[in-house]
Amino acid sequence: QVQLVESGGGLVQAGGSLRLSCAASGRPFSMYAMGWFRQTPGEEREIVAGISMNGDITTYADSVKGRFTIDRDNAKSTVYLHMTSLKPEDTAIYFCSARHAYYSGDDVYRTDAEYDYWGQGTQVTVSS
């Protein structure tokens, strides 16, 4: 089992920045590919960014490319999502996810069905 706890959400004006953190516990963090997803009411959960076990492969939704950056600190068992130039359409609940990938190879994953564990989510609200 892996427990994931997100933090760093909040209210920010358009054009501002936030950094989300996701602290993992329970299993060796370096065995897990990590992802950030977001969801708004009535919508499907969508990928925001993903990062491989070793941190050397990343993937992003087209809507956030150039504005968001995902990285991880395996020594701290934490994955981050650095969000800049925020827009009102970035308003959502952001979820951290983990996939045991040790036997799958160093890769990234883009669909929620590919992830095994989820955090409770953190609200991000961007005002115009």
Side-chain angles (χ1 to χ4, degrees):
Q1 287 286 337
V2 173
Q3 293 78 44
L4 303 172
V5 179
E6 302 98 334
S7 61
L11 174 63
V12 64
Q13 287 189 330
S17 301
L18 281 176
R19 187 186 76 165
L20 304 184
S21 300
C22 173
S25 62
R27 289 288 178 91
F29 185 66
S30 60
M31 290 186 175
Y32 290 82
M34 303 297 294
W36 285 99
F37 287 74
R38 66 187 181 187
Q39 188 172 26
T40 55
E43 299 293 326
E44 297 283 323
R45 192 158 50 187
E46 63 174 5
I47 183 74
V48 177
I51 188 166
S52 63
M53 288 188 298
N54 297 327
D56 52 357
I57 306 172
T58 57
T59 187
Y60 296 92
D62 288 343
S63 59
V64 307
K65 281 181 182 176
R67 301 188 298 121
F68 291 11
T69 302
I70 186 171
D71 61 17
R72 64 190 292 163
D73 185 337
N74 283 355
K76 295 182 178 180
S77 298
T78 302
V79 62
Y80 304 96
L81 184 67
H82 306 268
M83 305 186 293
T84 65
S85 301
L86 282 160
K87 304 175 182 180
E89 51 262 45
D90 294 318
T91 295
I93 300 175
Y94 284 70
F95 296 90
C96 173
S97 57
R99 172 194 167 99
H100 189 276
Y102 185 74
Y103 300 107
S104 305
D106 197 29
D107 205 348
V108 290
Y109 302 89
R110 292 182 59 87
T111 68
D112 56 2
E114 294 176 292
Y115 286 86
D116 305 309
Y117 302 101
W118 294 86
Q120 293 299 307
T122 186
Q123 176 71 47
V124 171
T125 303
V126 184
S127 64
S128 56

